[in-house]
Amino acid sequence: MPIGVFDSGFGGLTVLGALRERFPEQDFIYFGDTANAPYGERSAQEVVDLTIAGCRYLFGRGCGLVILACNTSSAIALRPMQEYFVPADRRVLGVLVPMIEAIAGRPYRGDKRAEAAAQNVLFFATPGTVKSGAFERELALRVSGPRVISVACGGLVSALEGGDKAAAERIVERAVAEALEAAPEPEMAVLGCTHYPLMEAAFRRALPEGVNVLSQGVLVAARLAEYLERFPQFASCGGALELVTSGDVAVVREEAARLFGVALPFKAM
Ligand code: DGL
């Protein structure tokens, strides 16, 4: 069974890259809903409907487990999907919980909340993710202690996809300045959007020295390793990769190559 990786577009390739590095023998199907991206500034209902449609496609392609690489989908759609949509023999995992478990310093199994190693955590994400409050909610369930300062980086995804590096840097600087005004001495920063690792250097420049910037791809891969140990039925071997888009294949190939610097053989769904 291939593992499905769902994203609103091609930003989720940052997560897929880390997964492929950790699991070179696993089969993956990546589906980017580029025709409907970006999700970060859509209504909650739209995000839920589109994420369900994307997962339905991946289930239809034989995936038993789907990872929502998109933070906006993970924040807004994951809980309702797990309650009302995911069939009993399939699984959907998001990308926020691995970040939260990194803050907790251990996986959560419904037990006592962990003491956080950090007092002030900065959380940067799309407007939709920040508005959902999901990160704070899921964190509070698992960890006691840290204060979360969430800042929406509106326009950052579009600036990056449009190739406007200067605008992207300005948005990062503004967002970090806003966060530091609320918490001048943070210990951790979470880049809660698929695209933000592409701006990690700018975030690090703007943040005070010594802030631990959590790396989502690596954390998601580590969580998946642990998950597959418990549920080996969702693993496969072969190392095949399919990249599928709902958008215009030529445009997606060109934009993804510009953003990631390599040719990516996307095909139509
Ligand atoms: N994939 C989205 C996320 O991680 C960013 C792009 C979008 O807004 O669709 O939140």
Side-chain angles (χ1 to χ4, degrees):
M1 260 196 293
I3 291 180
V5 178
F6 172 79
D7 185 47
S8 54
F10 38 80
L13 293 170
T14 56
V15 175
L16 179 72
L19 293 177
R20 295 248 302 152
E21 205 160 292
R22 175 102 191 213
F23 306 100
E25 307 212 318
Q26 172 68 51
D27 298 332
F28 288 102
I29 302 179
Y30 178 94
F31 174 54
D33 187 17
T34 326
N36 296 300
Y39 281 12
E41 308 198 19
R42 283 186 176 277
S43 74
Q45 191 58 55
E46 285 175 320
V47 172
V48 172
D49 292 346
L50 292 168
T51 306
I52 287 179
C55 287
R56 194 168 272 141
Y57 168 74
L58 287 166
F59 288 155
R61 293 291 318 277
C63 300
L65 167 67
V66 173
I67 296 176
L68 302 182
C70 178
N71 290 262
T72 309
S73 293
S74 299
I76 296 173
L78 183 58
R79 282 235 170 216
M81 281 173 71
Q82 285 174 333
E83 273 173 46
Y84 306 113
F85 163 71
V86 182
D89 58 341
R90 312 290 172 109
R91 296 287 183 279
V92 179
L93 300 175
V95 287
L96 290 182
V97 168
M99 316 276 267
I100 290 168
E101 291 185 341
I103 295 169
R106 63 168 165 83
Y108 177 75
R109 300 262 182 274
D111 48 358
K112 214 168 136 262
R113 292 192 300 165
E115 285 299 326
Q119 290 313 307
N120 291 289
V121 176
L122 309 184
F123 179 65
F124 301 98
T126 63
T129 300
V130 169
K131 192 165 165 226
S132 75
F135 183 76
E136 292 86 336
R137 218 168 31 247
E138 299 293 336
L139 183 82
L141 282 176
R142 295 165 173 83
V143 194
S144 70
R147 184 162 74 107
V148 180
I149 292 91
S150 298
V151 179
C153 306
L156 184 48
V157 165
S158 308
L160 278 170
E161 293 192 352
D164 192 344
K165 198 85 201 277
E169 295 212 352
R170 277 197 303 277
I171 294 170
V172 170
E173 280 163 20
R174 241 189 348 252
V176 173
E178 186 185 325
L180 293 179
E181 218 165 279
E185 292 181 0
E187 297 96 334
M188 279 188 184
V190 176
L191 306 187
C193 170
T194 47
H195 288 57
Y196 299 0
L198 300 169
M199 292 302 285
E200 188 171 326
F203 275 102
R204 285 186 187 277
R205 266 196 308 279
L207 286 164
E209 217 172 295
V211 174
N212 181 4
V213 180
L214 298 187
S215 173
Q216 188 163 56
V218 174
L219 294 174
V220 172
R223 181 97 196 298
L224 181 61
E226 195 221 331
Y227 192 84
L228 292 179
E229 238 168 69
R230 286 192 289 140
F231 303 101
Q233 67 269 32
F234 293 116
S236 61
C237 52
L241 172 66
E242 240 187 274
L243 300 172
V244 183
T245 174
S246 59
D248 180 313
V249 172
V251 174
V252 169
R253 284 186 178 183
E254 193 186 310
E255 290 186 356
R258 180 159 45 74
L259 209 58
F260 291 94
V262 283
L264 294 157
F266 270 97
K267 58 182 203 186
M269 66 191 294

